[in-house]
Amino acid sequence: MITETPTPQEQPLETATCHRGFSIGLPKCDNPAERRFPLTPEAAGQLIERGFRVKMQEGAAGTIHYTDSQYTRVGVSVGSREESLACDIVIHLAPLELRDVRKMRRGAMLLTLLRPTDQDLSSVKELLRRHIITIAIDLIEDERGCTPFADILAEIDGRASVAIASSLLADSQRGKGILLGGVAGIVPCETLIIGSGIAACAAARSAVGLGSMVRMYDNDVYSLRRAGQELGPWVITSSLHPRTLDNALRSADVVVVCPTREPFSVSREVVSSMKKGVVTFDLASGDGAAFPSMTAVDLAQASAIESSAQIADRICFVHAGCAVARTAAMALSNTFLTLMQSIITCEGVGNALKLLPGMQKATVTFFGKIVNPRIAQELGIRSVDISIYLTLS
């Protein structure tokens, strides 16, 4: 009698992911100049589906009006600040204070914004002592040489400045009670934009959409040409000739100063000749350096616009993007998802730094050494070339 033997059949086999399940920490930002948060619940849930473990400090996302329960429903572990700081990767947009750095795991990664002038020497030394890899996300470049984090934040700054300016001009108590775009038979308001980069183009596009007359000034003619081609004939472009610029400043209802190749500032004499009630924004610095004679009002503060009505002097708004922190969180989330996918693909942080030149350029501290010249110069410390260590490791 012939007996049939079973034939082996292919069966699905569960395989491990290519990484060991990095943990991502989201501590609450206590810096009053930073209201933005890096991840929305949806983005955190997607990271968890990809194998990451996300730990968030209780109440950390309150500035963008998300509750802890919205994060726990997608799998985020909500706990203490210590737990979020002890993760493999910590995301904190403002520079961490010394006491927080001491709670980080040795050899961990810190994702933050560069902010050279806000760095504390003792905190940086502790980062070096604990061999923490610090990445300035606004310096990260993609394969095309673009800076996705910096670019999206600049676009938000530009659009937010015009939206806020329009609201303030229309306010009958704190503004003039006028529309930025005007109506039939009434000349629209003038918007003056200094710079022609991403933030400037975003501000110009919003102002044109609201019906404002827009002028854009910059000394980079090639950048002006690109901006003019992108925005069309509705934006008047010009080089920064002193006489024409002074005339534009005198007639402008809204002035938005964006990053330029050379630092830009308006003297006290020119400021005194500007319109009463003009709304000004400095998107190039966090302290209102573009208008040194004006009082800087930080929009990272929740009550900044309300309190500005009590200031008798001329004022300049800074950190416009922080006023729309939830929009910033959504935009940052998309970019962080791409970054984390790159880390997974490279099978770890160390390999990511070796394989992705754009991340190498964004590294600030690497295993006990400062590898960013700007931070080193600001703190009076010598920097080294990261490529030397990556070649030897």
Side-chain angles (χ1 to χ4, degrees):
M1 183 172 113
I2 301 175
T3 58
E4 295 183 359
T5 58
T7 302
Q9 298 292 322
E10 294 181 357
Q11 296 292 328
L13 179 64
E14 183 178 355
T15 59
T17 56
C18 60
H19 62 94
R20 62 178 181 82
F22 294 109
S23 59
I24 300 176
L26 303 173
K28 182 179 180 180
C29 184
D30 295 325
N31 190 324
E34 184 58 75
R35 294 176 60 196
R36 296 168 294 188
F37 194 70
L39 293 177
T40 62
E42 295 79 6
Q46 291 185 50
L47 289 174
I48 292 171
E49 291 176 359
R50 298 178 187 181
F52 289 95
R53 291 172 288 116
V54 182
K55 299 182 180 181
M56 186 182 77
Q57 182 183 352
E58 183 179 2
T63 54
I64 57 173
H65 304 289
Y66 281 116
T67 63
D68 292 343
S69 61
Q70 290 176 286
Y71 283 88
T72 55
R73 280 199 293 267
V74 297
V76 175
S77 174
V78 177
S80 65
R81 187 174 186 83
E82 288 72 18
E83 292 174 331
S84 62
L85 288 168
C87 292
D88 301 315
I89 302 173
V90 176
I91 307 178
H92 193 271
L93 300 181
L96 279 177
E97 296 183 3
L98 176 60
R99 63 176 181 270
D100 290 329
V101 177
R102 288 173 174 169
K103 298 174 183 177
M104 291 185 65
R105 185 180 62 79
R106 182 178 177 85
M109 171 182 276
L110 172 63
L111 298 177
T112 185
L113 294 172
L114 185 63
R115 295 183 176 176
T117 57
D118 294 341
Q119 298 292 336
D120 178 66
L121 180 58
S122 59
S123 298
V124 175
K125 286 184 176 180
E126 187 65 17
L127 289 171
L128 300 176
R129 192 182 70 82
R130 303 185 73 83
H131 282 209
I132 291 172
I133 301 173
T134 307
I135 305 292
I137 60 173
D138 45 332
L139 298 184
I140 294 177
E141 296 182 1
D142 59 16
E143 61 278 2
R144 296 166 295 182
C146 301
T147 51
F149 285 95
D151 292 349
I152 193 62
L153 292 177
E155 184 176 359
I156 292 172
D157 284 345
R159 288 196 174 274
S161 63
V162 174
I164 296 169
S166 177
S167 175
L168 289 174
L169 286 174
D171 192 320
S172 59
Q173 300 297 323
R174 292 167 296 187
K176 294 182 176 181
I178 59 176
L179 291 174
L180 183 63
V183 294
I186 299 177
V187 177
C189 292
E190 293 186 22
T191 300
L192 171 62
I193 299 174
I194 306 299
S196 54
I198 291 178
C201 288
R205 193 176 292 108
S206 293
V208 168
L210 290 172
S212 176
M213 180 188 299
V214 181
R215 303 178 189 273
M216 178 179 288
Y217 284 72
D218 199 344
N219 270 338
D220 190 335
V221 178
Y222 287 98
S223 181
L224 274 177
R225 182 180 291 115
R226 289 193 298 269
Q229 292 171 347
E230 177 183 343
L231 298 169
W234 297 275
V235 176
I236 303 169
T237 61
S238 172
S239 295
L240 286 167
H241 296 299
R243 182 174 298 177
T244 57
L245 177 60
D246 288 352
N247 291 334
L249 285 167
R250 290 187 179 94
S251 62
D253 299 282
V254 178
V255 180
V256 182
V257 177
C258 303
T260 53
R261 183 173 298 177
E262 297 294 332
F264 176 86
S265 64
V266 182
S267 65
R268 181 183 297 272
E269 291 74 17
V270 176
V271 166
S272 63
S273 67
M274 294 170 66
K275 278 185 177 180
K276 182 180 180 181
V278 61
V279 183
T280 61
F281 291 85
D282 185 358
L283 307 184
S285 69
D287 56 2
F291 299 93
S293 62
M294 291 188 180
T295 301
V297 175
D298 193 345
L299 289 171
Q301 307 288 341
S303 60
I305 292 181
E306 287 76 7
S307 62
S308 66
Q310 310 300 323
I311 300 176
D313 300 330
R314 293 178 179 270
I315 60 175
C316 170
F317 293 103
V318 298
H319 294 142
C322 289
V324 288
R326 185 156 173 159
T327 296
M330 295 175 181
L332 286 171
S333 294
N334 296 333
T335 318
F336 272 117
L337 287 173
T338 303
L339 175 63
M340 295 304 173
Q341 185 60 44
S342 300
I343 293 177
I344 293 176
T345 304
C346 296
E347 300 186 3
V349 174
N351 288 334
L353 290 176
K354 291 180 180 179
L355 300 175
L356 302 176
M359 282 194 68
Q360 295 179 22
K361 296 178 181 179
T363 307
V364 178
T365 63
F366 182 77
F367 290 134
K369 301 293 181 181
I370 290 186
V371 293
N372 181 276
R374 288 185 61 188
I375 295 295
Q377 181 179 6
E378 193 70 30
L379 299 177
I381 301 177
R382 182 180 178 183
S383 66
V384 296
D385 189 350
I386 188 176
S387 60
I388 298 175
Y389 295 96
L390 292 175
T391 302
L392 297 176
S393 61

